[in-house]
Amino acid sequence: MSNVALGIDIGGSGIKAAYVDVASGALVTERVRLPTPRPSTPRAVVETVGEVCELVRASAPELTPVARGAAFPAVVRGGVTLSAANVDRAWIGYAAEERLSEALGNSVCVLNDADAAGLAELGFGAVRGVSGVALVLTIGTGVGSALFADGTLAPNTELGHLAFRAHASVEDWVSDRARRAEGLSWKRWTGRLNAYLDHLSVLFSPELIVLGGGVSKRFEDKIAPRLRLRTPVRAAALRNDAGIVGAAWHASRVVRL
Ligand code: BGC
């Protein structure tokens, strides 16, 4: 039976998808990307997801995915999106799984984007084989989190929305968007990151913290040398494809191969 699943990553700026070999975590087609519609209303986004998936299908008509998963930047419970920090507010309370399944003509499994990235790290990257508590953070426009205990995910942790120091939501202070918007040097921004990670270390005593998202490209040269933490910190292994791979892998495990 086929090991191929469709992975979709819905972000604030782009919607990406590819077929994934869920045994290895490798993409088996080129990644297709279209810009996220503005405003990012559910109807417009669902339509663009349909277009992206059609392009993937057309690029490999000989492949039939056994499952379909979509990562979305919000709290997702029972297939319903329950928050909207960086997307249109109409997503709050939207039956995303039902609507996407209708649009694609097949059942789609929807999960939080950081949870998807974390699952990709668990299956194929930096969290593989890690026992105890591991924390995966995606740092980009927002800050997402995936918390694992002995390889089991506690979904929707939203640690980017912790109140910290004077900030109602720490992502406004420590995201990559904040770094760019405030023109912070890597030194100053990493100082903020260090304070945030230190706080998370006190709260969760993780064995490992994994950093993903846009900033992970600069982990080795700009970030790692400046971190002063007792908890080991590593860069995510899957980088750009983490959402796609995690969504596909998750869906393939929900819908049995
Ligand atoms: C959202 C999370 C998401 C993160 C990264 C946050 O603003 O609340 O659900 O995982 O951004 O996209």
Side-chain angles (χ1 to χ4, degrees):
M1 196 176 268
S2 158
N3 271 335
V4 172
L6 172 66
I8 306 161
D9 188 2
I10 303 171
S13 59
I15 297 175
K16 303 174 280 188
Y19 286 159
V20 177
D21 177 343
V22 289
S24 67
L27 301 197
V28 294
T29 58
E30 290 283 314
R31 198 161 60 127
V32 174
R33 181 186 189 279
L34 288 178
T36 305
R38 279 173 202 279
S40 54
T41 55
R43 183 193 287 254
V45 168
V46 167
E47 196 180 315
T48 305
V49 170
E51 288 167 26
V52 170
C53 295
E54 179 50 30
L55 291 169
V56 174
R57 198 198 58 76
S59 75
E62 72 287 5
L63 297 176
T64 307
V66 292
R68 293 153 197 83
F72 191 82
V75 171
V76 184
R77 273 178 70 200
V80 177
T81 44
L82 294 174
S83 65
N86 296 302
V87 286
D88 193 90
R89 292 190 63 76
W91 283 93
I92 299 174
Y94 186 71
E97 208 160 83
E98 215 173 301
R99 294 287 101 78
L100 280 169
S101 300
E102 276 164 18
L104 300 189
N106 270 298
S107 68
V108 182
C109 181
V110 182
L111 75 165
N112 171 263
D113 60 350
D115 285 342
L119 287 167
E121 294 299 323
L122 176 75
F124 311 104
V127 182
R128 202 170 187 167
V130 175
S131 51
V133 172
L135 188 55
V136 178
L137 299 172
T138 62
I139 302 189
T141 308
V143 172
S145 58
L147 182 69
F148 295 93
D150 288 336
T152 299
L153 173 69
N156 295 311
T157 42
E158 295 289 337
L159 298 176
H161 293 292
L162 275 184
F164 186 63
R165 301 197 176 171
H167 308 276
S169 200
V170 69
E171 79 172 13
D172 295 338
W173 185 68
V174 81
S175 63
D176 197 36
R177 175 163 62 191
R179 183 184 67 80
R180 289 167 195 267
E182 294 180 46
L184 298 175
S185 64
W186 282 103
K187 185 171 173 210
R188 282 201 59 199
W189 179 81
T190 308
R192 291 184 180 187
L193 180 70
N194 198 86
Y196 173 53
L197 298 186
D198 193 41
H199 186 58
L200 293 177
S201 298
V202 169
L203 295 181
F204 297 102
S205 302
E207 302 296 327
L208 176 68
I209 295 176
V210 174
L211 290 187
V215 300
S216 60
K217 288 196 283 287
R218 306 310 301 267
F219 183 76
E220 304 301 339
D221 62 336
K222 299 290 186 193
I223 302 174
R226 298 193 169 99
L227 291 177
R228 303 280 174 271
L229 295 162
R230 275 160 302 164
T231 309
V233 183
R234 273 197 248 154
L238 280 100
R239 310 272 159 124
N240 260 341
D241 297 332
I244 293 177
V245 173
W249 190 55
H250 176 66
S252 76
R253 295 196 306 165
V254 174
V255 180
R256 299 231 7 108
L257 292 180

